[in-house]
Amino acid sequence: MSVMTVPPSRRASARRDRVGYLFVAPFLIVFVAMLVAPLAYAGYLSLFREQLIGGVRFAGLDNYIQALSDERLLDGVLRVSRFFLVQVPIMLGLALLFALALDSGAMWLSRVIRLGIFVPYAVPGVIAALMWSYLYGPQFGPITQLAEALGLPAPDLLSSDLMLGSVANIVTWEFTGYNMIILYAALRAIPTELYEAAAVDGAGAWRIAWSVKIPALRPALLMALIFSVIGSFQLFNEPALLQRLAPNVIDSAYTPNLYTYSLAFVSQDVNYAAAVSFLLGLVIVVVSYTVQLAVARRRR
Amino acid sequence: MTLPRKRWLAVGAAATLFLAGCAGGTTGGTTGGTDGGEGKPAAISQADIDKAMKTPTELTFWTWLPDIDKEVALFEKKYPAISVKVVNAGNSQAEYTKLRTALKAGSGAPDVVQLEYQHIPGFAITDSLLDLRPYGAEALKERFVDWAWGQVSGRNGEVWAIPQDTGPMGMLYRKDIFDKHGIQPPKTWDEFAAAARKLHAADPGVYLTNFPTNHNSIWTGLMWQAGVKPFQMKGADQVSVDVAGETSKKLASYWSGLVKEGVVSTDADFSDQWFQALNKGRYATWLTAAWGPLFLSTSAKETRGKWRVAPLPQWTAGEQKSGNWGGSTSAVVKMTKNPIAAAKFAEFLNTDPESARMLTTLQFLYPPTKALLSDPGFVEQKSDFYGGQQVNKVFADISGTVPTDFTWLPFMDQINNDWNETVGKSLADKTDTAAGLDKWQQTITTYAEKQGFKVAR
């Protein structure tokens, strides 16, 4: 019968395609409504300028040009970069150490310890920062009181010299456990045959850790690293809460995210805040990509 | 560093706003249009008011005062057709952020809202508040102290809100500490400085006072006392900013001098540290407002009976002047659909004798009404926490000494924030406060110009 021109198989596959879209639709709708549209709107906003006197006008890329030469923004980016370079290696190093120790099975009470290291991650960031701001307190905080009891000069942990370190300490305390769990899970996924083979070759525990476990952890470490890049550049909670204790040390542009927040809600400058957010997003993409590239190249 | 998603949420919220904005926010209300001469809207007739107050209506009222439903109940009893939904939309800044969002969206704003005096111009300039003159608000002028009424009045005589409470500034001091060191309550700032040095030398663990550097409320109050007029609207798009003039520099050298000598501390106030310090007697005075005494009696219970109240020290002996710190108002949002009921609610809440009294006893507000300030039942109350002193009386007298011509600009959030990073920082770091003032002047000017204002000094 030559009437049937469309091969049935193709028609069926076309129908199947349409059904496929139907299945993806719920996701697509949410994705577009919650991610693409707001992002596009923020991009749109960033091209305008609104004034109390004069209203809204199209500004083209003025906001971006202004942001690129905004010293307060650049200072903030440099500050979180420094934070990233110092804090992240310490945190991931500790996480790796704990994960290897737990995995080796040589640790007593390993369940209790594992939970203990992980618990800070479960404490809400706000509570954590409040707790630490009490511990850091320069007059009645326990650290100060201990130093005084020992007759030592009490360190001012909230001074401008030590503040970044104090923030790094809180973040390390909070996120070491989280990264440890990622690494530990990756370690459990390593096939035991590798260990057996290594043992047959005469490798000891240290050698196995160095030559088998750590190389196998590379993808997990890379993921933890990328998360840390994003986390560092988006630093907000901890400095925002410590700001109440040391308002003159942590100013409104201490981190880029704090600056964006203050631009939007204190200065009422949503347009400029949107432009700054976009630039910050760009910085994060570039740094993440660089990190990924650097790690991938070393593997080769 | 927990917020990878926070930014998306923020832009998501912004997008929602945009969509809502597109739907078009028609502002309800019966005002506008008609002109009562000199740009003043025509008065609403009593018949219209009577009719509106008998029409079943629901009002929404945003406030952060606890237990305010007791006063609201009085209103609902008098006007049974009207019910008021009380919403706590957060304390000051949190509430303003929500209000701005709702205003931009064109829906979701309350009918009546609690606003602090210094934030009225910011909402007035965006045309968000209802001028209450057509609703008979001008007749209320005589009931309030002049300087409070001045704060709610617009440049062209508009009435933007009804005053609710005030904070004329005074000095709370620890009588026990003063007695121990033979110090008399200082009457002038010179005596205050001398007492600060003497006290700290005698006991290094005690400071005569703490000068917080985390907000500029006290600084602004002291500028007010010293007669500085830092923020003035000179025209629709003209402002004058004068925060670094001669008198302000005098304030700067005075306070930075005491701070640099180390006889006055600079702890952040209302922090954990500060509460403990008050309880433990680290500060011998607290420069505060009329709402301070009750606040202190609940937060420094251990020091019961040791405190007394006095006016602020003066720059010139024999003078009596003060400034104001805090206090708020009830304003009607312009997009309300029930302007008459909303305006009458704002009026009732703050002027009805029973409701106004309740605000002082239940919410512990310090009243702006002349009636209460001269009411023996209010001013002659004795407080055990202050050794039986008539605290309200002291502040009622101070209230009469607040200069009446102090005003605000439409962007106090920015101004206040900039103070922390310029003047406040210089005090905390013990650097040049005069330079900090110049920088403050400069940052305010830059911001104002960016917002399209013409700035004069």
Side-chain angles (χ1 to χ4, degrees):
Chain A
M1 291 279 190
S2 60
V3 185
M4 281 190 59
T5 48
V6 181
S9 63
R10 197 193 285 172
R11 194 193 279 169
S13 88
R15 196 185 306 137
R16 207 185 309 140
D17 282 356
R18 249 176 285 143
V19 171
Y21 284 124
L22 215 64
F23 274 109
V24 187
F27 164 76
L28 266 186
I29 290 169
V30 173
F31 180 71
V32 170
M34 296 295 160
L35 273 169
V36 179
L39 206 57
Y41 181 57
Y44 167 81
L45 274 181
S46 72
L47 302 176
F48 289 82
R49 194 162 274 181
E50 185 178 5
Q51 296 176 182
L52 278 174
I53 303 292
V56 187
R57 66 181 170 82
F58 184 71
L61 294 176
D62 283 4
N63 285 326
Y64 290 91
I65 294 166
Q66 190 194 338
L68 285 177
S69 57
D70 188 337
E71 273 177 39
R72 308 193 71 200
L73 175 63
L74 296 180
D75 283 353
V77 171
L78 284 179
R79 188 173 288 118
V80 288
S81 307
R82 259 184 13 234
F83 178 89
F84 167 71
L85 288 176
V86 175
Q87 187 264 336
V88 171
I90 293 175
M91 176 178 68
L92 292 185
L94 282 174
L96 181 64
L97 201 70
F98 288 131
L100 287 172
L102 283 173
D103 188 58
S104 72
M107 221 151 160
W108 282 21
L109 296 170
S110 73
R111 274 177 179 226
V112 178
I113 290 170
R114 192 169 70 200
L115 191 67
I117 298 172
F118 188 70
V119 156
Y121 178 68
V123 176
V126 174
I127 307 290
L130 283 177
M131 184 190 90
W132 280 100
S133 59
Y134 164 69
L135 292 174
Y136 288 158
Q139 280 131 37
F140 305 104
I143 297 174
T144 306
Q145 297 202 332
L146 185 71
E148 272 169 8
L150 296 173
L152 297 169
D156 185 359
L157 297 165
L158 299 173
S159 65
S160 53
D161 295 336
L162 297 182
M163 181 57 88
L164 200 58
S166 301
V167 174
N169 180 46
I170 299 177
V171 174
T172 307
W173 173 84
E174 266 179 303
F175 289 92
T176 298
Y178 170 74
N179 288 302
M180 176 197 77
I181 293 291
I182 294 180
L183 299 177
Y184 179 68
L187 280 175
R188 305 303 291 176
I190 298 172
T192 45
E193 291 88 351
L194 286 178
Y195 297 147
E196 284 162 18
V200 170
D201 285 348
W206 286 107
R207 186 63 205 253
I208 289 180
W210 185 250
S211 302
V212 179
K213 290 184 179 180
I214 292 183
L217 275 180
R218 210 188 281 266
L221 264 175
L222 181 64
M223 189 176 78
L225 194 59
I226 299 284
F227 282 167
S228 305
V229 170
I230 298 171
S232 297
F233 281 86
Q234 299 247 20
L235 200 61
F236 181 85
N237 267 1
E238 293 78 6
L241 282 152
L242 288 177
Q243 194 173 34
R244 292 187 194 179
L245 276 181
N248 310 106
V249 174
I250 297 186
D251 63 19
S252 60
Y254 194 76
T255 72
N257 247 9
L258 264 185
Y259 188 42
T260 322
Y261 179 83
S262 141
L263 282 173
F265 294 108
V266 176
S267 310
Q268 312 298 332
D269 196 347
V270 179
N271 307 96
Y272 188 48
V276 168
S277 304
F278 264 91
L279 283 181
L280 180 63
L282 193 70
V283 169
I284 293 174
V285 169
V286 169
V287 175
S288 306
Y289 193 68
T290 313
V291 165
Q292 198 161 3
L293 215 63
V295 174
R297 187 163 294 163
R298 196 172 300 159
R299 199 187 316 183
R300 230 177 280 146
Chain B
M1 56 186 275
T2 57
L3 295 175
R5 244 179 283 135
K6 168 135 193 155
R7 214 150 44 86
W8 307 129
L9 288 179
V11 285
T16 322
L17 285 187
F18 173 64
L19 296 174
C22 287
T26 45
T27 51
T30 54
T31 52
T34 45
D35 217 277
E38 291 166 17
K40 186 178 147 188
I44 305 289
S45 73
Q46 189 59 43
D48 283 349
I49 294 176
D50 290 344
K51 191 178 153 222
M53 300 313 280
K54 282 182 188 132
T55 313
T57 308
E58 179 170 292
L59 295 176
T60 308
F61 175 38
W62 282 9
T63 176
W64 56 85
L65 293 174
D67 297 327
I68 192 81
D69 32 322
K70 305 251 169 44
E71 285 89 340
V72 168
L74 294 175
F75 177 77
E76 288 174 331
K77 203 172 138 204
K78 186 167 175 196
Y79 301 104
I82 299 170
S83 69
V84 180
K85 197 173 133 205
V86 177
V87 177
N88 184 344
N91 261 359
S92 61
Q93 289 308 328
E95 188 203 76
Y96 305 148
T97 302
K98 284 189 192 117
L99 181 60
R100 285 193 190 102
T101 309
L103 288 169
K104 273 207 172 129
S107 68
D111 300 286
V112 182
V113 65
Q114 180 178 2
L115 285 185
E116 286 157 291
Y117 292 95
Q118 59 169 311
H119 292 285
I120 291 173
F123 286 100
I125 201 171
T126 52
D127 200 25
S128 309
L129 301 182
L130 187 69
D131 180 1
L132 298 175
R133 281 180 296 176
Y135 308 91
E138 276 168 316
L140 306 173
K141 181 176 193 282
E142 292 311 313
R143 299 206 200 175
F144 293 95
V145 291
D146 290 343
W147 60 273
W149 194 257
Q151 308 288 300
V152 299
S153 303
R155 206 168 46 83
N156 302 315
E158 300 94 337
V159 178
W160 293 126
I162 308 294
Q164 183 160 66
D165 71 306
T166 57
M169 287 180 74
M171 178 178 74
L172 310 186
Y173 65 95
R174 286 280 296 265
K175 187 169 189 296
D176 58 325
I177 297 178
F178 275 29
D179 287 351
K180 188 174 156 198
H181 297 285
I183 296 171
Q184 292 297 314
K187 294 243 182 314
T188 65
W189 287 113
D190 284 339
E191 286 174 29
F192 187 87
R197 294 184 187 108
K198 182 177 172 187
L199 179 63
H200 192 67
D203 185 348
V206 181
Y207 297 89
L208 181 61
T209 199
N210 175 57
F211 200 92
T213 53
N214 52 329
H215 59 81
N216 59 334
S217 308
I218 293 183
W219 186 270
T220 308
L222 294 180
M223 282 203 295
W224 196 328
Q225 183 202 22
V228 184
K229 280 177 247 170
F231 316 119
Q232 287 176 289
M233 288 298 288
K234 293 283 192 187
D237 62 349
Q238 283 178 319
V239 296
S240 105
V241 177
D242 179 20
V243 297
E246 205 182 318
T247 314
S248 302
K249 291 269 166 73
K250 183 177 77 178
L251 268 178
S253 76
Y254 179 83
W255 285 104
S256 70
L258 292 180
V259 168
K260 278 182 192 162
E261 280 178 55
V263 295
V264 162
S265 62
T266 53
D267 306 330
D269 61 4
F270 302 100
S271 65
D272 205 31
Q273 291 280 324
W274 180 81
F275 282 114
Q276 294 191 47
L278 275 179
N279 272 302
K280 292 184 180 169
R282 181 173 150 92
Y283 317 131
T285 70
W286 182 26
L287 304 177
T288 187
W291 43 260
L294 265 162
F295 179 84
L296 186 74
S297 66
T298 53
S299 46
K301 289 195 178 112
E302 294 166 34
T303 57
R304 183 184 179 79
K306 294 176 178 165
W307 292 87
R308 297 292 181 277
V309 186
L312 283 184
Q314 300 293 318
W315 287 106
T316 313
E319 224 173 31
Q320 271 310 323
K321 280 196 178 141
S322 185
N324 180 65
W325 172 6
S328 50
T329 67
S330 305
V332 176
V333 176
K334 197 170 187 180
M335 67 168 73
T336 177
K337 293 199 169 57
N338 309 296
I340 296 174
K344 287 296 158 192
F345 172 66
E347 178 185 327
F348 178 94
L349 184 66
N350 302 305
T351 58
D352 175 77
E354 202 178 340
S355 173
R357 178 179 297 278
M358 264 182 165
L359 288 171
T360 70
T361 54
L362 287 179
Q363 282 78 25
F364 303 127
L365 301 183
Y366 198 79
T369 56
K370 290 175 184 164
L372 274 168
L373 289 174
S374 57
D375 179 349
F378 175 71
V379 294
E380 284 171 15
Q381 284 169 25
K382 290 182 180 162
S383 166
D384 289 346
F385 193 86
Y386 298 90
Q389 204 179 353
Q390 293 178 351
V391 175
N392 290 340
K393 174 95 176 65
V394 177
F395 279 102
D397 292 343
I398 293 173
S399 183
T401 67
V402 177
T404 54
D405 47 8
F406 195 93
T407 52
W408 309 99
L409 289 180
F411 39 87
M412 292 312 297
D413 281 342
Q414 183 71 31
I415 292 174
N416 296 341
N417 182 66
D418 286 346
W419 185 88
N420 288 7
E421 291 167 14
T422 54
V423 185
K425 187 168 174 59
S426 73
L427 284 170
D429 294 352
K430 297 187 171 60
T431 55
D432 186 354
T433 303
L437 276 178
D438 288 332
K439 209 171 157 206
W440 192 29
Q441 170 85 25
Q442 183 209 323
T443 55
I444 300 173
T445 306
T446 309
Y447 181 83
E449 283 172 352
K450 207 185 155 200
Q451 289 295 334
F453 291 98
K454 294 190 190 72
V455 187
R457 182 132 186 168

